[in-house]
Amino acid sequence: AILVSFLLVLKTQAANNQFWEALSDLTNMCHLLRSISISVCGMVNWEKHKEVEKNAKRIVRLLVLYYLVVLEYFQRTGTNQTNAASQMDNLRHDVAALAGDHEWTVLYPGEGKGTAGSKSAHRHTRPTIILFWISLSLRQILDHQALEPPIMNGVLNQLTQVSACFWNMDKIDKTQFPFPYTQIVKWLTLVFLVMLPFVLAPNCGWLTCVFSAVATVGFFGLDEVAEILESPFGNDPNDLDIRAYGDPLMSDLELICRCRDGELDFVFNPDEKIDFSHLLGNFDDGFHQHFCANLA
């Protein structure tokens, strides 16, 4: 019992760690894509040259395209890949909506945009090429001196981190527990649960059925939980919904780009000191006065 419990807990703990690591990579990827968009829309001098604005908008589009390609990749690969033709078609349609004609020929060679995802010879494409296209656009922006080199270096580092998040997510999704380990856990669990009633019956009587049922649900339940958590990307109810993270991401990138030319408010007068206590009704005025007294 101790051996079986130890093996099951170890397996479940490893799967749980994989799940949270995958979620961390997914959220970090979304954060990095937003940060790149903020830098491109806020720090790049679009007025420097027409090509600068063209490349900046291209980068924002490619950021969304990258996420959609990542979404299709995880929905069409791994143990939890979708088998629904309608979902395959919708995934490919979203990619086609944001990809240019020349980009499409690289992403899905030999096929037109009208090819349905369920009938395509390519289950997915490789997202890395889109990061390369983004770097090419950044290079053209740098050639027009529309962005300071240190900021450009930071953006390129963020692109590298985006790629690292994807590959770590892919490693988690495709790496299953070693088959010998899984096999020995299942066999030991089966043997233990078969022998358990014979050990309990002399002392527990009819309660043996209750104790055996609880033990069976517990041991096999932990094993099933581990197998669900080890592949967190897919279409199962407990899998991470990548699309749910993508919808607010696309809205944020669009909002960032549109607000670039918007007018910002001052709220405070130019000669007025910043004092939030006069603006917020539920502000802790006592703490504010004590803090200002220390500054004085």
Side-chain angles (χ1 to χ4, degrees):
I2 296 177
L3 175 61
V4 175
S5 300
F6 175 77
L7 292 176
L8 273 176
V9 169
L10 183 63
K11 181 180 180 181
T12 306
Q13 184 179 17
N16 182 67
N17 292 337
Q18 282 197 176
F19 179 87
W20 290 109
E21 184 180 356
L23 177 59
S24 177
D25 285 325
L26 177 58
T27 54
N28 284 340
M29 176 184 291
C30 293
H31 166 69
L32 289 167
L33 294 177
R34 287 182 173 92
S35 297
I36 294 171
S37 179
I38 290 174
S39 298
V40 170
C41 295
M43 303 304 296
V44 174
N45 185 3
W46 288 24
E47 292 74 20
K48 191 77 172 181
H49 194 276
K50 291 183 179 180
E51 287 297 316
V52 173
E53 180 178 357
K54 177 181 176 182
N55 282 283
K57 291 182 178 179
R58 178 186 292 129
I59 290 173
V60 176
R61 175 182 63 83
L62 289 176
L63 291 174
V64 178
L65 178 62
Y66 175 81
Y67 193 86
L68 294 176
V69 168
V70 169
L71 172 62
E72 183 189 43
Y73 179 86
F74 285 113
Q75 291 290 308
R76 297 294 305 274
T77 61
T79 57
N80 295 331
Q81 61 181 287
T82 181
N83 295 317
S86 59
Q87 188 172 6
M88 298 178 190
D89 295 341
N90 290 335
L91 291 169
R92 188 61 55 87
H93 179 269
D94 289 342
V95 176
L98 288 181
D101 294 336
H102 294 93
E103 295 167 352
W104 185 266
T105 59
V106 177
L107 296 174
Y108 307 98
E111 294 183 352
K113 281 191 173 183
T115 305
S118 57
K119 299 180 180 178
S120 173
H122 308 282
R123 290 190 302 167
H124 58 84
T125 187
R126 307 300 292 186
T128 304
I129 187 62
I130 300 177
L131 297 181
F132 174 68
W133 292 338
I134 294 175
S135 67
L136 292 180
S137 296
L138 288 171
R139 175 64 189 182
Q140 295 186 41
I141 290 176
L142 186 61
D143 288 342
H144 289 93
Q145 299 180 350
L147 184 63
E148 297 295 330
I151 300 178
M152 177 65 73
N153 183 60
V155 174
L156 292 176
N157 286 335
Q158 289 176 328
L159 274 181
T160 302
Q161 294 177 47
V162 168
S163 180
C165 287
F166 166 75
W167 287 114
N168 197 46
M169 290 165 60
D170 189 47
K171 178 196 69 176
I172 293 173
D173 188 56
K174 305 302 184 296
T175 303
Q176 306 296 310
F177 283 107
F179 180 74
Y181 185 95
T182 303
Q183 190 177 43
I184 194 64
V185 169
K186 290 185 180 297
W187 274 109
L188 287 177
T189 302
L190 181 62
V191 171
F192 170 74
L193 293 175
V194 169
M195 298 298 296
L196 182 63
F198 296 99
V199 177
L200 296 178
N203 298 318
C204 300
W206 289 105
L207 290 177
T208 300
C209 297
V210 177
F211 294 146
S212 297
V214 171
T216 301
V217 172
F219 280 91
F220 280 120
L222 280 177
D223 187 59
E224 183 64 20
V225 166
E227 293 187 358
I228 291 174
L229 294 179
E230 69 174 337
S231 297
F233 302 112
N235 300 280
D236 294 337
N238 296 309
D239 287 337
L240 296 174
D241 189 352
I242 303 180
R243 185 56 191 251
Y245 287 87
D247 291 340
L249 172 66
M250 287 184 281
S251 297
D252 286 347
L253 297 191
E254 181 179 346
L255 183 62
I256 291 169
C257 192
R258 288 189 175 188
C259 289
R260 183 185 179 279
D261 298 324
E263 183 178 355
L264 300 179
D265 298 315
F266 285 101
V267 179
F268 294 106
N269 295 325
D271 56 346
E272 183 182 3
K273 292 183 179 180
I274 295 179
D275 188 351
F276 298 110
S277 62
H278 296 306
L279 300 178
L280 304 177
N282 57 352
F283 196 83
D284 189 353
D285 191 57
F287 173 81
H288 174 262
Q289 293 178 359
H290 176 71
F291 181 75
C292 291
N294 290 335
L295 289 179

